PDB file of all heavy atoms in Angstrom:
ATOM      1  N   PHE A 166      -5.055  12.150   3.236  1.00 98.00           N
ATOM      2  CA  PHE A 166      -4.394  10.949   3.744  1.00 98.00           C
ATOM      3  C   PHE A 166      -4.321  10.973   5.262  1.00 98.00           C
ATOM      4  O   PHE A 166      -4.436   9.921   5.913  1.00 98.00           O
ATOM      5  CB  PHE A 166      -2.989  10.836   3.160  1.00 98.00           C
ATOM      6  CG  PHE A 166      -2.912  10.001   1.911  1.00 98.00           C
ATOM      7  CD1 PHE A 166      -2.989  10.585   0.661  1.00 98.00           C
ATOM      8  CD2 PHE A 166      -2.764   8.631   1.985  1.00 98.00           C
ATOM      9  CE1 PHE A 166      -2.919   9.829  -0.493  1.00 98.00           C
ATOM     10  CE2 PHE A 166      -2.694   7.848   0.841  1.00 98.00           C
ATOM     11  CZ  PHE A 166      -2.779   8.457  -0.409  1.00 98.00           C
ATOM     12  N   TRP A 170      -6.232   6.058   9.163  1.00 98.00           N
ATOM     13  CA  TRP A 170      -5.147   5.228   9.665  1.00 98.00           C
ATOM     14  C   TRP A 170      -4.345   4.722   8.474  1.00 98.00           C
ATOM     15  O   TRP A 170      -4.918   4.238   7.491  1.00 98.00           O
ATOM     16  CB  TRP A 170      -5.688   4.041  10.458  1.00 98.00           C
ATOM     17  CG  TRP A 170      -6.134   4.353  11.842  1.00 98.00           C
ATOM     18  CD1 TRP A 170      -7.419   4.535  12.267  1.00 98.00           C
ATOM     19  CD2 TRP A 170      -5.308   4.485  13.009  1.00 98.00           C
ATOM     20  NE1 TRP A 170      -7.439   4.785  13.619  1.00 98.00           N
ATOM     21  CE2 TRP A 170      -6.158   4.753  14.099  1.00 98.00           C
ATOM     22  CE3 TRP A 170      -3.935   4.403  13.216  1.00 98.00           C
ATOM     23  CZ2 TRP A 170      -5.681   4.944  15.390  1.00 98.00           C
ATOM     24  CZ3 TRP A 170      -3.448   4.599  14.504  1.00 98.00           C
ATOM     25  CH2 TRP A 170      -4.304   4.865  15.576  1.00 98.00           C
ATOM     26  N   LEU A 171      -3.026   4.789   8.573  1.00 99.00           N
ATOM     27  CA  LEU A 171      -2.150   4.364   7.487  1.00 99.00           C
ATOM     28  C   LEU A 171      -1.205   3.269   7.968  1.00 99.00           C
ATOM     29  O   LEU A 171      -0.688   3.351   9.093  1.00 99.00           O
ATOM     30  CB  LEU A 171      -1.306   5.543   6.981  1.00 99.00           C
ATOM     31  CG  LEU A 171      -2.073   6.759   6.453  1.00 99.00           C
ATOM     32  CD1 LEU A 171      -1.098   7.886   6.139  1.00 99.00           C
ATOM     33  CD2 LEU A 171      -2.895   6.395   5.234  1.00 99.00           C
ATOM     34  N   PRO A 172      -0.959   2.235   7.166  1.00 98.00           N
ATOM     35  CA  PRO A 172       0.070   1.261   7.539  1.00 98.00           C
ATOM     36  C   PRO A 172       1.442   1.916   7.530  1.00 98.00           C
ATOM     37  O   PRO A 172       1.771   2.672   6.615  1.00 98.00           O
ATOM     38  CB  PRO A 172      -0.059   0.185   6.470  1.00 98.00           C
ATOM     39  CG  PRO A 172      -0.721   0.841   5.313  1.00 98.00           C
ATOM     40  CD  PRO A 172      -1.588   1.923   5.879  1.00 98.00           C
ATOM     41  N   LEU A 274      -0.209  -5.512  10.982  1.00 98.00           N
ATOM     42  CA  LEU A 274       0.424  -4.248  10.614  1.00 98.00           C
ATOM     43  C   LEU A 274       0.589  -3.364  11.840  1.00 98.00           C
ATOM     44  O   LEU A 274      -0.149  -3.477  12.821  1.00 98.00           O
ATOM     45  CB  LEU A 274      -0.420  -3.494   9.586  1.00 98.00           C
ATOM     46  CG  LEU A 274      -0.395  -3.983   8.135  1.00 98.00           C
ATOM     47  CD1 LEU A 274      -1.450  -3.250   7.322  1.00 98.00           C
ATOM     48  CD2 LEU A 274       0.982  -3.781   7.521  1.00 98.00           C
ATOM     49  N   TRP A 276       0.028   0.449  12.520  1.00 99.00           N
ATOM     50  CA  TRP A 276      -0.686   1.558  11.897  1.00 99.00           C
ATOM     51  C   TRP A 276      -0.346   2.868  12.599  1.00 99.00           C
ATOM     52  O   TRP A 276      -0.083   2.892  13.810  1.00 99.00           O
ATOM     53  CB  TRP A 276      -2.189   1.338  12.006  1.00 99.00           C
ATOM     54  CG  TRP A 276      -2.711   0.078  11.414  1.00 99.00           C
ATOM     55  CD1 TRP A 276      -2.604  -1.191  11.918  1.00 99.00           C
ATOM     56  CD2 TRP A 276      -3.448  -0.058  10.195  1.00 99.00           C
ATOM     57  NE1 TRP A 276      -3.223  -2.095  11.099  1.00 99.00           N
ATOM     58  CE2 TRP A 276      -3.750  -1.442  10.033  1.00 99.00           C
ATOM     59  CE3 TRP A 276      -3.888   0.845   9.231  1.00 99.00           C
ATOM     60  CZ2 TRP A 276      -4.477  -1.917   8.939  1.00 99.00           C
ATOM     61  CZ3 TRP A 276      -4.610   0.366   8.147  1.00 99.00           C
ATOM     62  CH2 TRP A 276      -4.888  -0.998   8.002  1.00 99.00           C
ATOM     63  N   PHE A 291     -10.678  -4.737   7.346  1.00 98.00           N
ATOM     64  CA  PHE A 291     -10.460  -5.670   6.256  1.00 98.00           C
ATOM     65  C   PHE A 291     -10.579  -7.109   6.752  1.00 98.00           C
ATOM     66  O   PHE A 291     -10.216  -7.422   7.887  1.00 98.00           O
ATOM     67  CB  PHE A 291      -9.071  -5.468   5.652  1.00 98.00           C
ATOM     68  CG  PHE A 291      -8.909  -4.180   4.899  1.00 98.00           C
ATOM     69  CD1 PHE A 291      -8.239  -3.104   5.470  1.00 98.00           C
ATOM     70  CD2 PHE A 291      -9.403  -4.052   3.613  1.00 98.00           C
ATOM     71  CE1 PHE A 291      -8.068  -1.919   4.776  1.00 98.00           C
ATOM     72  CE2 PHE A 291      -9.241  -2.868   2.910  1.00 98.00           C
ATOM     73  CZ  PHE A 291      -8.578  -1.798   3.480  1.00 98.00           C
ATOM     74  N   TRP A 293      -8.755  -9.604   5.891  1.00 98.00           N
ATOM     75  CA  TRP A 293      -7.437 -10.172   6.176  1.00 98.00           C
ATOM     76  C   TRP A 293      -6.909  -9.715   7.534  1.00 98.00           C
ATOM     77  O   TRP A 293      -6.057 -10.384   8.113  1.00 98.00           O
ATOM     78  CB  TRP A 293      -6.439  -9.806   5.075  1.00 98.00           C
ATOM     79  CG  TRP A 293      -6.361  -8.354   4.732  1.00 98.00           C
ATOM     80  CD1 TRP A 293      -6.993  -7.715   3.706  1.00 98.00           C
ATOM     81  CD2 TRP A 293      -5.607  -7.345   5.408  1.00 98.00           C
ATOM     82  NE1 TRP A 293      -6.696  -6.375   3.697  1.00 98.00           N
ATOM     83  CE2 TRP A 293      -5.840  -6.117   4.732  1.00 98.00           C
ATOM     84  CE3 TRP A 293      -4.759  -7.353   6.517  1.00 98.00           C
ATOM     85  CZ2 TRP A 293      -5.261  -4.919   5.135  1.00 98.00           C
ATOM     86  CZ3 TRP A 293      -4.181  -6.157   6.930  1.00 98.00           C
ATOM     87  CH2 TRP A 293      -4.429  -4.964   6.236  1.00 98.00           C
ATOM     88  N   ALA A 304       3.695  -7.931   3.650  1.00 98.00           N
ATOM     89  CA  ALA A 304       5.048  -7.471   3.341  1.00 98.00           C
ATOM     90  C   ALA A 304       5.029  -5.983   2.999  1.00 98.00           C
ATOM     91  O   ALA A 304       3.983  -5.420   2.672  1.00 98.00           O
ATOM     92  CB  ALA A 304       5.630  -8.271   2.181  1.00 98.00           C
ATOM     93  N   ARG A 305       6.216  -5.381   3.071  1.00 98.00           N
ATOM     94  CA  ARG A 305       6.392  -3.962   2.745  1.00 98.00           C
ATOM     95  C   ARG A 305       7.604  -3.820   1.840  1.00 98.00           C
ATOM     96  O   ARG A 305       8.628  -4.449   2.068  1.00 98.00           O
ATOM     97  CB  ARG A 305       6.592  -3.153   4.034  1.00 98.00           C
ATOM     98  CG  ARG A 305       6.817  -1.649   3.818  1.00 98.00           C
ATOM     99  CD  ARG A 305       6.881  -0.916   5.152  1.00 98.00           C
ATOM    100  NE  ARG A 305       8.189  -0.968   5.778  1.00 98.00           N
ATOM    101  CZ  ARG A 305       9.024   0.070   5.897  1.00 98.00           C
ATOM    102  NH1 ARG A 305       8.705   1.255   5.395  1.00 98.00           N
ATOM    103  NH2 ARG A 305      10.181  -0.067   6.528  1.00 98.00           N
ATOM    104  N   TRP A 306       7.490  -2.976   0.801  1.00 98.00           N
ATOM    105  CA  TRP A 306       8.635  -2.728  -0.065  1.00 98.00           C
ATOM    106  C   TRP A 306       8.552  -1.323  -0.649  1.00 98.00           C
ATOM    107  O   TRP A 306       7.539  -0.636  -0.557  1.00 98.00           O
ATOM    108  CB  TRP A 306       8.732  -3.786  -1.168  1.00 98.00           C
ATOM    109  CG  TRP A 306       7.619  -3.814  -2.162  1.00 98.00           C
ATOM    110  CD1 TRP A 306       7.544  -3.166  -3.363  1.00 98.00           C
ATOM    111  CD2 TRP A 306       6.393  -4.553  -2.042  1.00 98.00           C
ATOM    112  NE1 TRP A 306       6.361  -3.450  -3.995  1.00 98.00           N
ATOM    113  CE2 TRP A 306       5.642  -4.307  -3.223  1.00 98.00           C
ATOM    114  CE3 TRP A 306       5.864  -5.414  -1.074  1.00 98.00           C
ATOM    115  CZ2 TRP A 306       4.377  -4.869  -3.437  1.00 98.00           C
ATOM    116  CZ3 TRP A 306       4.611  -5.962  -1.300  1.00 98.00           C
ATOM    117  CH2 TRP A 306       3.893  -5.697  -2.459  1.00 98.00           C
ATOM    118  N   TRP A 312       2.965   7.941  -5.358  1.00 98.00           N
ATOM    119  CA  TRP A 312       2.035   6.912  -4.893  1.00 98.00           C
ATOM    120  C   TRP A 312       0.950   6.611  -5.930  1.00 98.00           C
ATOM    121  O   TRP A 312       0.512   5.466  -6.075  1.00 98.00           O
ATOM    122  CB  TRP A 312       1.379   7.354  -3.582  1.00 98.00           C
ATOM    123  CG  TRP A 312       0.345   8.418  -3.772  1.00 98.00           C
ATOM    124  CD1 TRP A 312       0.544   9.762  -3.868  1.00 98.00           C
ATOM    125  CD2 TRP A 312      -1.055   8.215  -3.915  1.00 98.00           C
ATOM    126  NE1 TRP A 312      -0.639  10.420  -4.070  1.00 98.00           N
ATOM    127  CE2 TRP A 312      -1.645   9.483  -4.096  1.00 98.00           C
ATOM    128  CE3 TRP A 312      -1.868   7.090  -3.906  1.00 98.00           C
ATOM    129  CZ2 TRP A 312      -3.013   9.663  -4.274  1.00 98.00           C
ATOM    130  CZ3 TRP A 312      -3.241   7.266  -4.086  1.00 98.00           C
ATOM    131  CH2 TRP A 312      -3.795   8.540  -4.262  1.00 98.00           C
ATOM    132  N   GLY A 315       1.435   3.688  -8.723  1.00 97.00           N
ATOM    133  CA  GLY A 315       1.176   2.324  -8.292  1.00 97.00           C
ATOM    134  C   GLY A 315      -0.293   2.078  -8.059  1.00 97.00           C
ATOM    135  O   GLY A 315      -0.838   1.036  -8.462  1.00 97.00           O
ATOM    136  N   MET A 316      -0.956   3.015  -7.393  1.00 97.00           N
ATOM    137  CA  MET A 316      -2.381   2.858  -7.113  1.00 97.00           C
ATOM    138  C   MET A 316      -3.173   2.695  -8.401  1.00 97.00           C
ATOM    139  O   MET A 316      -4.056   1.834  -8.506  1.00 97.00           O
ATOM    140  CB  MET A 316      -2.886   4.064  -6.322  1.00 97.00           C
ATOM    141  CG  MET A 316      -4.353   4.013  -5.929  1.00 97.00           C
ATOM    142  SD  MET A 316      -5.513   4.619  -7.192  1.00 97.00           S
ATOM    143  CE  MET A 316      -5.127   6.366  -7.216  1.00 97.00           C
ATOM    144  N   GLU A 319      -3.002  -0.711  -9.945  1.00 92.00           N
ATOM    145  CA  GLU A 319      -3.818  -1.699  -9.263  1.00 92.00           C
ATOM    146  C   GLU A 319      -5.200  -1.839  -9.878  1.00 92.00           C
ATOM    147  O   GLU A 319      -5.803  -2.912  -9.851  1.00 92.00           O
ATOM    148  CB  GLU A 319      -3.991  -1.304  -7.790  1.00 92.00           C
ATOM    149  CG  GLU A 319      -2.778  -1.482  -6.942  1.00 92.00           C
ATOM    150  CD  GLU A 319      -2.467  -2.942  -6.726  1.00 92.00           C
ATOM    151  OE1 GLU A 319      -3.072  -3.566  -5.859  1.00 92.00           O
ATOM    152  OE2 GLU A 319      -1.619  -3.464  -7.462  1.00 92.00           O
ATOM    153  N   LEU A 386     -10.654   0.931  -2.461  1.00 98.00           N
ATOM    154  CA  LEU A 386     -11.150   1.510  -1.216  1.00 98.00           C
ATOM    155  C   LEU A 386     -10.304   2.715  -0.817  1.00 98.00           C
ATOM    156  O   LEU A 386      -9.073   2.703  -0.948  1.00 98.00           O
ATOM    157  CB  LEU A 386     -11.114   0.453  -0.097  1.00 98.00           C
ATOM    158  CG  LEU A 386     -11.822  -0.868  -0.417  1.00 98.00           C
ATOM    159  CD1 LEU A 386     -10.818  -1.910  -0.911  1.00 98.00           C
ATOM    160  CD2 LEU A 386     -12.557  -1.411   0.800  1.00 98.00           C
ATOM    161  N   PRO A 388      -8.123   5.464   1.125  1.00 98.00           N
ATOM    162  CA  PRO A 388      -7.730   6.338   0.019  1.00 98.00           C
ATOM    163  C   PRO A 388      -6.852   5.661  -1.016  1.00 98.00           C
ATOM    164  O   PRO A 388      -6.615   6.231  -2.070  1.00 98.00           O
ATOM    165  CB  PRO A 388      -6.944   7.439   0.729  1.00 98.00           C
ATOM    166  CG  PRO A 388      -6.275   6.736   1.872  1.00 98.00           C
ATOM    167  CD  PRO A 388      -7.245   5.672   2.319  1.00 98.00           C
ATOM    168  N   MET A 389      -6.369   4.407  -0.766  1.00 98.00           N
ATOM    169  CA  MET A 389      -5.400   3.827  -1.697  1.00 98.00           C
ATOM    170  C   MET A 389      -5.265   2.317  -1.547  1.00 98.00           C
ATOM    171  O   MET A 389      -4.190   1.762  -1.712  1.00 98.00           O
ATOM    172  CB  MET A 389      -4.019   4.479  -1.507  1.00 98.00           C
ATOM    173  CG  MET A 389      -3.555   4.685  -0.075  1.00 98.00           C
ATOM    174  SD  MET A 389      -3.664   3.214   0.960  1.00 98.00           S
ATOM    175  CE  MET A 389      -3.418   3.819   2.559  1.00 98.00           C
ATOM    176  N   TRP A 390      -6.368   1.625  -1.210  1.00 98.00           N
ATOM    177  CA  TRP A 390      -6.347   0.179  -1.003  1.00 98.00           C
ATOM    178  C   TRP A 390      -6.950  -0.551  -2.189  1.00 98.00           C
ATOM    179  O   TRP A 390      -7.865  -0.036  -2.839  1.00 98.00           O
ATOM    180  CB  TRP A 390      -7.154  -0.202   0.238  1.00 98.00           C
ATOM    181  CG  TRP A 390      -6.565   0.226   1.533  1.00 98.00           C
ATOM    182  CD1 TRP A 390      -6.818   1.384   2.221  1.00 98.00           C
ATOM    183  CD2 TRP A 390      -5.615  -0.495   2.331  1.00 98.00           C
ATOM    184  NE1 TRP A 390      -6.095   1.414   3.387  1.00 98.00           N
ATOM    185  CE2 TRP A 390      -5.348   0.278   3.482  1.00 98.00           C
ATOM    186  CE3 TRP A 390      -4.981  -1.727   2.175  1.00 98.00           C
ATOM    187  CZ2 TRP A 390      -4.475  -0.137   4.483  1.00 98.00           C
ATOM    188  CZ3 TRP A 390      -4.107  -2.147   3.160  1.00 98.00           C
ATOM    189  CH2 TRP A 390      -3.869  -1.357   4.298  1.00 98.00           C
ATOM    190  N   SER A 391      -6.486  -1.766  -2.439  1.00 97.00           N
ATOM    191  CA  SER A 391      -7.093  -2.611  -3.463  1.00 97.00           C
ATOM    192  C   SER A 391      -7.374  -3.986  -2.891  1.00 97.00           C
ATOM    193  O   SER A 391      -6.713  -4.443  -1.959  1.00 97.00           O
ATOM    194  CB  SER A 391      -6.164  -2.749  -4.671  1.00 97.00           C
ATOM    195  OG  SER A 391      -5.009  -3.508  -4.332  1.00 97.00           O
ATOM    196  N   VAL A 392      -8.382  -4.644  -3.454  1.00 97.00           N
ATOM    197  CA  VAL A 392      -8.619  -6.066  -3.265  1.00 97.00           C
ATOM    198  C   VAL A 392      -8.704  -6.647  -4.672  1.00 97.00           C
ATOM    199  O   VAL A 392      -9.654  -6.382  -5.405  1.00 97.00           O
ATOM    200  CB  VAL A 392      -9.910  -6.356  -2.481  1.00 97.00           C
ATOM    201  CG1 VAL A 392     -10.021  -7.856  -2.175  1.00 97.00           C
ATOM    202  CG2 VAL A 392      -9.965  -5.549  -1.188  1.00 97.00           C
ATOM    203  N   GLY A 401      -5.480 -11.381  -2.351  1.00 96.00           N
ATOM    204  CA  GLY A 401      -4.720 -10.292  -1.749  1.00 96.00           C
ATOM    205  C   GLY A 401      -4.948  -8.968  -2.429  1.00 96.00           C
ATOM    206  O   GLY A 401      -5.842  -8.795  -3.259  1.00 96.00           O
ATOM    207  N   GLY A 402      -4.115  -8.035  -2.056  1.00 97.00           N
ATOM    208  CA  GLY A 402      -4.177  -6.682  -2.603  1.00 97.00           C
ATOM    209  C   GLY A 402      -3.043  -5.862  -2.034  1.00 97.00           C
ATOM    210  O   GLY A 402      -2.133  -6.386  -1.386  1.00 97.00           O
ATOM    211  N   ARG A 403      -3.117  -4.560  -2.251  1.00 98.00           N
ATOM    212  CA  ARG A 403      -2.031  -3.669  -1.869  1.00 98.00           C
ATOM    213  C   ARG A 403      -2.560  -2.363  -1.275  1.00 98.00           C
ATOM    214  O   ARG A 403      -3.713  -1.997  -1.467  1.00 98.00           O
ATOM    215  CB  ARG A 403      -1.168  -3.316  -3.094  1.00 98.00           C
ATOM    216  CG  ARG A 403       0.093  -4.121  -3.266  1.00 98.00           C
ATOM    217  CD  ARG A 403      -0.147  -5.517  -3.704  1.00 98.00           C
ATOM    218  NE  ARG A 403      -0.712  -5.590  -5.051  1.00 98.00           N
ATOM    219  CZ  ARG A 403      -1.219  -6.721  -5.562  1.00 98.00           C
ATOM    220  NH1 ARG A 403      -1.222  -7.834  -4.855  1.00 98.00           N
ATOM    221  NH2 ARG A 403      -1.725  -6.752  -6.773  1.00 98.00           N
ATOM    222  N   ALA A 404      -1.639  -1.678  -0.588  1.00 98.00           N
ATOM    223  CA  ALA A 404      -1.849  -0.297  -0.151  1.00 98.00           C
ATOM    224  C   ALA A 404      -0.643   0.513  -0.587  1.00 98.00           C
ATOM    225  O   ALA A 404       0.485   0.018  -0.585  1.00 98.00           O
ATOM    226  CB  ALA A 404      -2.012  -0.219   1.368  1.00 98.00           C
ATOM    227  N   TRP A 405      -0.867   1.792  -0.922  1.00 98.00           N
ATOM    228  CA  TRP A 405       0.175   2.667  -1.459  1.00 98.00           C
ATOM    229  C   TRP A 405       0.252   3.916  -0.591  1.00 98.00           C
ATOM    230  O   TRP A 405      -0.598   4.807  -0.681  1.00 98.00           O
ATOM    231  CB  TRP A 405      -0.161   3.015  -2.911  1.00 98.00           C
ATOM    232  CG  TRP A 405      -0.382   1.785  -3.726  1.00 98.00           C
ATOM    233  CD1 TRP A 405      -1.535   1.040  -3.810  1.00 98.00           C
ATOM    234  CD2 TRP A 405       0.577   1.103  -4.523  1.00 98.00           C
ATOM    235  NE1 TRP A 405      -1.343  -0.047  -4.617  1.00 98.00           N
ATOM    236  CE2 TRP A 405      -0.059  -0.038  -5.071  1.00 98.00           C
ATOM    237  CE3 TRP A 405       1.913   1.359  -4.832  1.00 98.00           C
ATOM    238  CZ2 TRP A 405       0.599  -0.925  -5.910  1.00 98.00           C
ATOM    239  CZ3 TRP A 405       2.567   0.468  -5.676  1.00 98.00           C
ATOM    240  CH2 TRP A 405       1.908  -0.653  -6.206  1.00 98.00           C
ATOM    241  N   VAL A 406       1.245   3.963   0.282  1.00 98.00           N
ATOM    242  CA  VAL A 406       1.368   5.043   1.266  1.00 98.00           C
ATOM    243  C   VAL A 406       2.519   5.948   0.855  1.00 98.00           C
ATOM    244  O   VAL A 406       3.668   5.497   0.757  1.00 98.00           O
ATOM    245  CB  VAL A 406       1.622   4.478   2.675  1.00 98.00           C
ATOM    246  CG1 VAL A 406       1.737   5.612   3.686  1.00 98.00           C
ATOM    247  CG2 VAL A 406       0.506   3.511   3.074  1.00 98.00           C
ATOM    248  N   PRO A 407       2.255   7.231   0.618  1.00 98.00           N
ATOM    249  CA  PRO A 407       3.341   8.123   0.185  1.00 98.00           C
ATOM    250  C   PRO A 407       4.436   8.245   1.233  1.00 98.00           C
ATOM    251  O   PRO A 407       4.166   8.518   2.414  1.00 98.00           O
ATOM    252  CB  PRO A 407       2.635   9.469  -0.027  1.00 98.00           C
ATOM    253  CG  PRO A 407       1.187   9.122  -0.231  1.00 98.00           C
ATOM    254  CD  PRO A 407       0.946   7.912   0.634  1.00 98.00           C
ATOM    255  N   THR A 413       7.283   5.622  -2.527  1.00 98.00           N
ATOM    256  CA  THR A 413       6.058   5.060  -1.961  1.00 98.00           C
ATOM    257  C   THR A 413       6.362   3.821  -1.129  1.00 98.00           C
ATOM    258  O   THR A 413       7.142   2.959  -1.536  1.00 98.00           O
ATOM    259  CB  THR A 413       5.073   4.685  -3.086  1.00 98.00           C
ATOM    260  OG1 THR A 413       4.787   5.853  -3.865  1.00 98.00           O
ATOM    261  CG2 THR A 413       3.784   4.117  -2.536  1.00 98.00           C
ATOM    262  N   ASN A 414       5.719   3.732   0.049  1.00 98.00           N
ATOM    263  CA  ASN A 414       5.662   2.512   0.843  1.00 98.00           C
ATOM    264  C   ASN A 414       4.565   1.633   0.266  1.00 98.00           C
ATOM    265  O   ASN A 414       3.386   2.026   0.267  1.00 98.00           O
ATOM    266  CB  ASN A 414       5.268   2.836   2.293  1.00 98.00           C
ATOM    267  CG  ASN A 414       6.436   3.001   3.207  1.00 98.00           C
ATOM    268  OD1 ASN A 414       7.412   2.273   3.117  1.00 98.00           O
ATOM    269  ND2 ASN A 414       6.337   3.965   4.108  1.00 98.00           N
ATOM    270  N   VAL A 415       4.900   0.469  -0.238  1.00 98.00           N
ATOM    271  CA  VAL A 415       3.884  -0.457  -0.726  1.00 98.00           C
ATOM    272  C   VAL A 415       3.726  -1.579   0.293  1.00 98.00           C
ATOM    273  O   VAL A 415       4.717  -2.173   0.735  1.00 98.00           O
ATOM    274  CB  VAL A 415       4.267  -1.055  -2.097  1.00 98.00           C
ATOM    275  CG1 VAL A 415       3.081  -1.835  -2.665  1.00 98.00           C
ATOM    276  CG2 VAL A 415       4.708   0.029  -3.067  1.00 98.00           C
ATOM    277  N   PHE A 416       2.484  -1.841   0.657  1.00 98.00           N
ATOM    278  CA  PHE A 416       2.160  -2.950   1.550  1.00 98.00           C
ATOM    279  C   PHE A 416       1.331  -3.955   0.764  1.00 98.00           C
ATOM    280  O   PHE A 416       0.320  -3.591   0.150  1.00 98.00           O
ATOM    281  CB  PHE A 416       1.369  -2.463   2.766  1.00 98.00           C
ATOM    282  CG  PHE A 416       2.164  -1.603   3.700  1.00 98.00           C
ATOM    283  CD1 PHE A 416       2.328  -0.249   3.451  1.00 98.00           C
ATOM    284  CD2 PHE A 416       2.771  -2.153   4.818  1.00 98.00           C
ATOM    285  CE1 PHE A 416       3.079   0.549   4.302  1.00 98.00           C
ATOM    286  CE2 PHE A 416       3.520  -1.367   5.678  1.00 98.00           C
ATOM    287  CZ  PHE A 416       3.671  -0.011   5.421  1.00 98.00           C
ATOM    288  N   GLY A 417       1.770  -5.199   0.761  1.00 98.00           N
ATOM    289  CA  GLY A 417       1.036  -6.254   0.082  1.00 98.00           C
ATOM    290  C   GLY A 417       0.566  -7.301   1.061  1.00 98.00           C
ATOM    291  O   GLY A 417       1.309  -7.710   1.951  1.00 98.00           O
ATOM    292  N   TYR A 418      -0.679  -7.735   0.915  1.00 98.00           N
ATOM    293  CA  TYR A 418      -1.213  -8.774   1.791  1.00 98.00           C
ATOM    294  C   TYR A 418      -1.722  -9.944   0.954  1.00 98.00           C
ATOM    295  O   TYR A 418      -2.214  -9.785  -0.167  1.00 98.00           O
ATOM    296  CB  TYR A 418      -2.337  -8.223   2.680  1.00 98.00           C
ATOM    297  CG  TYR A 418      -3.552  -7.731   1.916  1.00 98.00           C
ATOM    298  CD1 TYR A 418      -4.591  -8.609   1.607  1.00 98.00           C
ATOM    299  CD2 TYR A 418      -3.664  -6.411   1.499  1.00 98.00           C
ATOM    300  CE1 TYR A 418      -5.696  -8.179   0.906  1.00 98.00           C
ATOM    301  CE2 TYR A 418      -4.762  -5.970   0.788  1.00 98.00           C
ATOM    302  CZ  TYR A 418      -5.780  -6.856   0.492  1.00 98.00           C
ATOM    303  OH  TYR A 418      -6.872  -6.428  -0.223  1.00 98.00           O
TER     304      TYR A 418
END
Side-chain angles (χ1 to χ4, degrees):
F166 267 94
W170 282 101
L171 301 174
L274 284 171
W276 303 75
F291 291 102
W293 51 263
R305 179 175 83 109
W306 65 92
W312 74 276
M316 182 275 292
E319 287 290 278
L386 307 97
M389 44 51 192
W390 291 93
S391 69
V392 186
R403 262 72 66 192
W405 306 82
V406 180
T413 302
N414 265 320
V415 189
F416 292 83
Y418 63 89

